[in-house]
């Protein structure tokens, strides 16, 4: 991979996507950051974060952030995005598919037959179709040079999701499908010298989650009074540094097709969260939270 990494983080307006973009900025990458909120408009999420803000954070971190407003369900917009990257850079080294946006569409308490079918099907389109469309147009550019990396961002490892129902049928299907996209693309990319993985953060302190608990990043520990297990949570930058570690690892092909977590990769690569810790959320969730034990992150971060 060339010294300066050229990356596309699709779905970088907020949350894990923003964290990934900023972490790639930390290693000096040029990062195209996309999302629907920008250019003075908001997506159906109606959140204040924008792709322009993310691009500024990338540049401030030491890279070059390039914001592009894109709806990844619109094929021509994605085609134009990739054509622009090709024209401006001539290559693409890293593709991160982090498009999502289904939180407000999910009725977490409804059975599948009670759930709005329109909302459920849109959840799947936002979570799966967007990733397929983006890879379809971006992979020919990514495989032009050997060594490319594709990261499919999801929630939960394949191992965990296989054995646990993820609250809602539509959410469950969405996140399981994205893990499979990482595996399947790995099968097709390996002969061309590229690597694909799926990657999950732990309990993410996204902007939406902080708002849910009525806290900020500075006061997040106040949420422990309501949810003690939130003590294992991590910033979006943590999973971002997992992507940066993969992108700079000349032996990243050893992970091809695998389902990975931020906490798992931190143990291998040695990166830390903003506070210097290495939260291993999925091990904690299995061994402490799901096991019904009192919240205690000792040995897990």
């Amino acid at each position: 991979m060339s010294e300066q990494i050229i990356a596309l983080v699709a779905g970088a307006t907020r949350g894990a996507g923003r964290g990934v973009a900023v972490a790639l900025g930390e290693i000096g990458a040029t990062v195209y950051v996309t999302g629907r909120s920008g250019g003075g408009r908001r997506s159906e999420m109606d959140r204040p974060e924008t792709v322009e803000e993310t691009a500024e954070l990338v540049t401030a971190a030491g890279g070059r952030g390039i914001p592009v407003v894109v709806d990844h369900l619109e094929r021509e917009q994605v085609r134009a995005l990739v054509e622009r990257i090709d024209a401006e850079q001539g290559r693409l080294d890293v593709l991160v598919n982090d498009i999502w946006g289904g939180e407000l569409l999910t009725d977490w308490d409804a059975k599948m037959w009670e759930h709005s079918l329109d909302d459920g099907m849109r959840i799947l389109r936002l979570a799966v179709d967007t990733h397929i469309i983006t890879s379809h147009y971006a992979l020919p550019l990514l495989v032009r040079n050997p060594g490319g990396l594709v990261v499919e961002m999801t929630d939960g490892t394949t191992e965990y999701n296989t054995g646990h129902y993820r609250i809602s049928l539509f959410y469950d299907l969405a996140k399981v499908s994205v893990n499979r996209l990482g595996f399947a693309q790995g099968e097709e990319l390996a002969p061309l010298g590229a690597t694909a993985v799926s990657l999950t953060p732990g309990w993410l302190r996204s902007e939406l989650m902080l708002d849910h608990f009525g806290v900020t990043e500075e006061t997040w520990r106040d949420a422990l009074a309501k949810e003690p297990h939130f003590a294992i949570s991590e910033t979006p930058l943590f999973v971002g540094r997992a992507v940066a570690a993969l992108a700079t690892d000349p032996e990243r092909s050893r992970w091809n097709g695998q389902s990975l977590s931020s906490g798992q990769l931190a143990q291998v690569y040695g990166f830390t969260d903003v506070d210097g810790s290495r939260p291993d959320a999925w091990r904690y969730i299995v061994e402490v939270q799901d096991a019904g034990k009192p919240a205690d992150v000792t040995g897990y971060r």
Side-chain angles (χ1 to χ4, degrees):
M1 195 173 281
S2 303
E3 183 176 353
Q4 186 188 59
I5 293 169
I6 307 299
L8 165 58
V9 182
T13 313
R14 63 186 66 85
R18 175 172 282 191
V20 170
V22 173
L24 289 170
E26 290 181 333
I27 60 172
T30 292
V31 188
Y32 288 80
V33 296
T34 69
R36 294 174 295 168
S37 295
R41 295 184 179 181
R42 292 189 180 191
S43 74
E44 66 201 70
M45 294 287 292
D46 197 26
R47 296 280 310 177
E49 301 86 9
T50 66
V51 290
E52 290 89 354
E53 290 173 355
T54 300
E56 290 173 2
L57 291 170
V58 172
T59 302
R64 181 187 175 206
I66 302 173
V68 190
V69 178
V70 176
D71 182 339
H72 285 264
L73 281 173
E74 298 296 330
R75 299 180 186 186
E76 291 309 311
Q77 292 185 32
V78 178
R79 186 203 302 269
L81 166 68
V82 175
E83 289 176 349
R84 175 180 170 180
I85 296 171
D86 190 8
E88 294 178 356
Q89 311 297 337
R91 72 180 202 275
L92 178 64
D93 303 314
V94 177
L95 168 63
V96 181
N97 276 326
D98 184 58
I99 314 110
W100 171 225
E103 295 95 335
L104 302 184
L105 295 169
T106 306
D107 186 344
W108 301 103
D109 298 320
K111 302 295 186 185
M112 181 266 282
W113 57 91
E114 299 167 341
H115 199 288
S116 163
L117 187 57
D118 286 342
D119 287 350
M121 299 307 289
R122 181 157 178 82
I123 288 168
L124 296 178
R125 291 209 69 210
L126 288 169
V128 181
D129 291 14
T130 54
H131 292 222
I132 294 171
I133 290 167
T134 304
S135 285
H136 177 85
Y137 289 109
L139 291 187
L141 180 57
L142 183 130
V143 300
R144 188 178 296 171
N145 301 303
L149 172 67
V150 177
V151 179
E152 289 285 341
M153 298 294 296
T154 188
D155 175 23
T157 62
T158 295
E159 180 181 12
Y160 187 85
N161 288 349
T162 297
H164 296 81
Y165 176 57
R166 301 307 311 278
I167 309 173
S168 159
L169 179 141
F170 295 104
Y171 189 83
D172 184 282
L173 183 57
K175 298 310 179 182
V176 168
S177 297
V178 175
N179 274 327
R180 192 67 183 182
L181 284 175
F183 170 79
Q185 287 176 94
E187 290 292 303
E188 298 195 357
L189 290 171
L192 301 174
T195 298
V197 301
S198 62
L199 176 64
T200 178
W203 197 337
L204 194 69
R205 292 203 300 275
S206 65
E207 299 87 349
L208 197 65
M209 185 58 66
L210 291 172
D211 285 353
H212 171 73
F213 283 118
V215 295
T216 66
E217 179 54 34
E218 291 69 32
T219 65
W220 72 269
R221 290 186 179 277
D222 293 346
L224 304 189
K226 182 184 297 184
E227 176 45 80
H229 291 298
F230 196 55
I232 197 61
S233 64
E234 64 197 56
T235 74
L237 193 63
F238 189 55
V239 74
R241 287 173 173 168
V243 173
L246 290 169
T248 54
D249 180 1
E251 298 180 355
R252 61 190 157 273
S253 61
R254 60 183 157 148
W255 302 110
N256 188 53
Q258 294 188 42
S259 166
L260 309 169
S261 72
S262 51
Q264 169 194 4
L265 292 182
Q267 303 305 314
V268 176
Y269 290 108
F271 60 85
T272 65
D273 205 344
V274 175
D275 63 0
S277 70
R278 297 189 180 101
D280 194 354
W282 290 100
R283 187 167 64 89
Y284 174 90
I285 288 169
V286 170
E287 297 178 4
V288 180
Q289 186 172 334
D290 287 355
K293 296 180 182 178
D296 184 357
V297 299
T298 304
Y300 293 95
R301 62 175 311 145

